[in-house]
Amino acid sequence: MKKTEVECCDVTYVHDEAVMTVRGKMPDEELLKELADFYKVFGDSTRIKILCVLLESEMCVCDLAEVLKMTQSAISHQLRVLKQMKLVKNRREGKTVFYSLADGHIQMIINQGMEHITE
């Protein structure tokens, strides 16, 4: 990523009306913290890989480990984080547990992120 300089105003002048309008529309701190935590989950390439695999197909831990060439333990650890953040869900079929994306929002978030970085 190239370094970009940020330009600043040459004078200090606060636009009070704009500031007050925006302050009135800001979500509360707890909600902003939850949103930040949600996006932190996407900051790990292993979790992104798992989500990309699950975009294509529902899979069990064994299959995910094989596709990603990782240990089942490592996959399980990341799935636990993804499940806590409600990004994946699971279903049991006999002795096998299959994982899939929790809903269509996750696919949309990944697709929009990919579109943004490939522009």
Side-chain angles (χ1 to χ4, degrees):
M1 191 164 32
K2 67 180 180 181
K3 198 173 189 177
T4 304
E5 189 174 320
V6 176
E7 293 188 45
C8 295
C9 300
D10 294 331
V11 296
T12 300
Y13 175 80
V14 176
H15 298 85
D16 294 324
E17 189 175 319
V19 169
M20 294 305 288
T21 299
V22 171
R23 274 191 186 151
K25 294 181 180 183
M26 286 292 289
D28 68 21
E29 285 296 319
E30 185 58 32
L31 193 58
L32 291 172
K33 183 187 177 319
E34 287 180 37
L35 183 61
D37 290 343
F38 173 78
Y39 280 108
K40 280 181 191 174
V41 173
F42 293 93
D44 180 276
S45 63
T46 299
R47 290 191 289 263
I48 292 293
K49 288 176 188 176
I50 291 170
L51 292 172
C52 285
V53 169
L54 297 178
L55 273 171
E56 300 301 322
S57 178
E58 172 184 72
M59 288 199 167
C60 72
V61 175
C62 303
D63 295 338
L64 284 162
E66 183 66 26
V67 169
L68 298 176
K69 296 182 171 80
M70 296 176 65
T71 66
Q72 289 183 31
S73 175
I75 297 293
S76 292
H77 172 73
Q78 298 302 338
L79 283 170
R80 185 171 27 264
V81 173
L82 292 169
K83 191 171 179 189
Q84 285 173 338
M85 294 305 294
K86 300 177 185 165
L87 297 176
V88 299
K89 61 184 178 182
N90 64 286
R91 68 173 182 86
R92 181 175 287 280
E93 192 174 292
K95 293 183 178 185
T96 305
V97 178
F98 290 96
Y99 286 86
S100 60
L101 296 180
D103 58 45
H105 294 115
I106 311 312
Q107 181 174 359
M108 190 170 56
I109 291 166
I110 293 170
N111 288 343
Q112 286 182 339
M114 286 294 232
E115 186 178 318
H116 180 75
I117 63 170
T118 56
E119 286 181 336

